[in-house]
Amino acid sequence: MKRHFGLIVLVVLIFGCAYPYTSPYLVTNEVDEFTDPNDELVFRSMAGNHIYERDPMGLVPFSELNITMGIHKKSNKIIDSSLFLKNVRSSARGHSIPLYIKDGDKLIIITDTARIILAARSTKTYSKSEILMGRLHYTYFDLAHYAISKDDLKKIAEAKSIKLRVTGSEGNQDYSIVNETFLPNLSRFYAEEISNRQIARAEDM
């Protein structure tokens, strides 16, 4: 039995590493039957845009970086735009603590043409435990929003390569993106949801 399990693990590792990881293009509109129809603000967000980290067996959740924006319903203009990060660390990957991202900590983005530095806000850290392959493991989640301008989103959308450094109270975590759909998903959201919308001004409210 152990021999068969070991063979399965080996096959997953070989084929999991042989094919580039991709994530689907998903957009959510945060309006449902409970939404106040008089609200002047609606939100549209990406979802599930995974930052690749090697885990071919899929035992640990992937980190994500998604664009989210608030839209003024009457004018259809952008009131607020941000990058929403879900940073995942796990004892299964050798991590013993979360990053503990706090308000003001930096997200540094380097593309082939630009360097963008953003500050965290509305941060949250939590953890969960579960049994993986017969052992107790802990998964740590840091959530953070980073306000970003339309101009900087355009720089990311037009990038051909991207690297990230996430800073927190317990150090840094660097990502060299190899998920083939990570940048195309960001570019598509910018093209379809942001590029043709203007930024709202006080007189639009």
Side-chain angles (χ1 to χ4, degrees):
M1 185 69 175
K2 288 183 178 179
R3 182 184 299 175
H4 290 162
F5 181 77
L7 180 61
I8 292 171
V9 171
L10 180 61
V11 170
V12 172
L13 287 172
I14 292 173
F15 286 95
C17 294
Y19 296 95
Y21 183 79
T22 61
S23 53
Y25 178 73
L26 302 173
V27 176
T28 63
N29 191 17
E30 298 176 21
V31 176
D32 56 28
E33 60 184 313
F34 299 101
T35 303
D36 185 345
N38 296 316
D39 282 350
E40 295 185 352
L41 182 67
V42 295
F43 290 92
R44 285 184 66 76
S45 306
M46 298 175 64
N49 196 35
H50 296 152
I51 305 171
Y52 183 83
E53 187 166 345
R54 294 186 183 278
D55 182 19
M57 295 186 68
L59 298 176
V60 178
F62 289 89
S63 297
E64 297 182 17
L65 187 66
N66 298 292
I67 302 173
T68 182
M69 63 177 183
I71 304 169
H72 185 247
K73 283 198 296 188
K74 185 176 180 180
S75 66
N76 196 36
K77 295 181 179 180
I78 300 170
I79 294 178
D80 177 81
S81 58
S82 64
L83 295 178
F84 176 60
L85 172 73
K86 180 174 76 172
N87 194 75
V88 183
R89 305 181 104 189
S90 171
S91 58
R93 295 182 184 142
H95 299 131
S96 59
I97 54 174
L99 273 182
Y100 286 113
I101 300 173
K102 304 297 183 185
D103 287 5
D105 286 339
K106 294 179 181 178
L107 171 63
I108 303 172
I109 302 171
I110 299 176
T111 75
D112 48 305
T113 60
R115 178 183 177 89
I116 301 166
I117 301 176
L118 308 174
R121 66 181 187 186
S122 303
T123 57
K124 179 182 180 180
T125 300
Y126 66 98
S127 63
K128 69 175 185 178
S129 60
E130 58 187 332
I131 302 296
L132 297 176
M133 300 175 65
R135 298 181 60 184
L136 179 64
H137 287 282
Y138 293 89
T139 305
Y140 310 101
F141 300 86
D142 281 291
L143 309 181
H145 287 268
Y146 301 86
I148 185 169
S149 68
K150 183 178 178 180
D151 287 343
D152 281 341
L153 284 172
K154 183 179 181 181
K155 293 174 185 176
I156 294 172
E158 294 176 345
K160 293 180 173 60
S161 65
I162 188 170
K163 296 180 181 180
L164 309 175
R165 168 165 287 181
V166 184
T167 70
S169 301
E170 294 297 330
N172 305 327
Q173 187 155 341
D174 294 346
Y175 293 99
S176 295
I177 309 301
V178 293
N179 175 2
E180 284 192 344
T181 53
F182 180 80
L183 270 176
N185 285 346
L186 292 171
S187 298
R188 180 176 172 181
F189 188 88
Y190 177 84
E192 295 181 0
E193 305 290 343
I194 297 175
S195 63
N196 293 325
R197 282 193 170 99
Q198 296 179 347
I199 303 300
R201 299 173 296 180
E203 53 266 33
D204 297 316
M205 307 302 181

